[in-house]
Amino acid sequence: VEILSRHPLRAARLFSIRNRARSLARDAHRGNRLISMDAFRHIYWSYLLTKKYGDGFATAVTDSHEEGRTGNSPAEKAMDLQNNAVGRKYARLGYDVKDLPSIATGDREVVPDVDAARARQRNGQ
């Protein structure tokens, strides 16, 4: 809410980007059931925000989304934050959005599910 109050003209576009990320993640999952819709939703969302508004704004939006009463466990929060960071990295590297499923499925930085997030936490990553 605070970010939207500081950037009210971006509000509609932020919701549009969120919806596009959901759609892209759903389509990627339909094309390959090994692709986690949740992980890819975060990757796409951060990627699209970074492409549109830059790394700093994308980080502020996605990090603030993980704060407060989200209902997420610490492992889920860590998973979401990590996948958001991956999406921003892909945008900075200039990857094309259509290539993200093939790139991300082989990327060890992507956390596909909460079990992987818990394992990473146990290993100090």
Side-chain angles (χ1 to χ4, degrees):
V1 172
E2 181 182 326
I3 292 171
L4 291 177
S5 68
R6 284 186 279 141
H7 303 279
L9 299 178
R10 294 183 180 178
R13 185 70 180 144
L14 290 175
F15 289 113
S16 175
I17 288 171
R18 180 200 63 191
N19 292 340
R20 181 159 184 238
R22 286 178 178 170
S23 177
L24 288 167
R26 187 174 39 253
D27 291 347
H29 179 72
R30 285 181 184 148
N32 179 350
R33 293 292 184 189
L34 298 177
I35 291 175
S36 162
M37 281 199 324
D38 183 50
F40 273 69
R41 181 173 48 83
H42 284 271
I43 290 168
Y44 280 125
W45 185 40
S46 293
Y47 171 91
L48 295 169
L49 283 171
T50 302
K51 286 292 204 180
K52 181 70 177 170
Y53 297 113
D55 200 338
F57 185 77
T59 300
V61 169
T62 59
D63 283 1
S64 69
H65 180 75
E66 301 304 329
E67 296 302 322
R69 291 188 198 165
T70 64
N72 284 349
S73 69
E76 289 168 319
K77 178 180 178 178
M79 175 182 73
D80 293 345
L81 290 170
Q82 174 61 27
N83 290 329
N84 291 339
V86 169
R88 292 190 304 271
K89 177 184 83 170
Y90 291 169
R92 285 191 310 271
L93 291 172
Y95 293 145
D96 192 293
V97 70
K98 69 178 174 34
D99 296 328
L100 296 189
S102 62
I103 293 167
T105 54
D107 187 343
R108 296 175 64 101
E109 290 185 28
V110 173
V111 182
D113 56 46
V114 74
D115 291 331
R118 285 187 189 113
R120 287 173 71 105
Q121 285 181 321
R122 281 194 300 273
N123 294 326
Q125 297 177 328

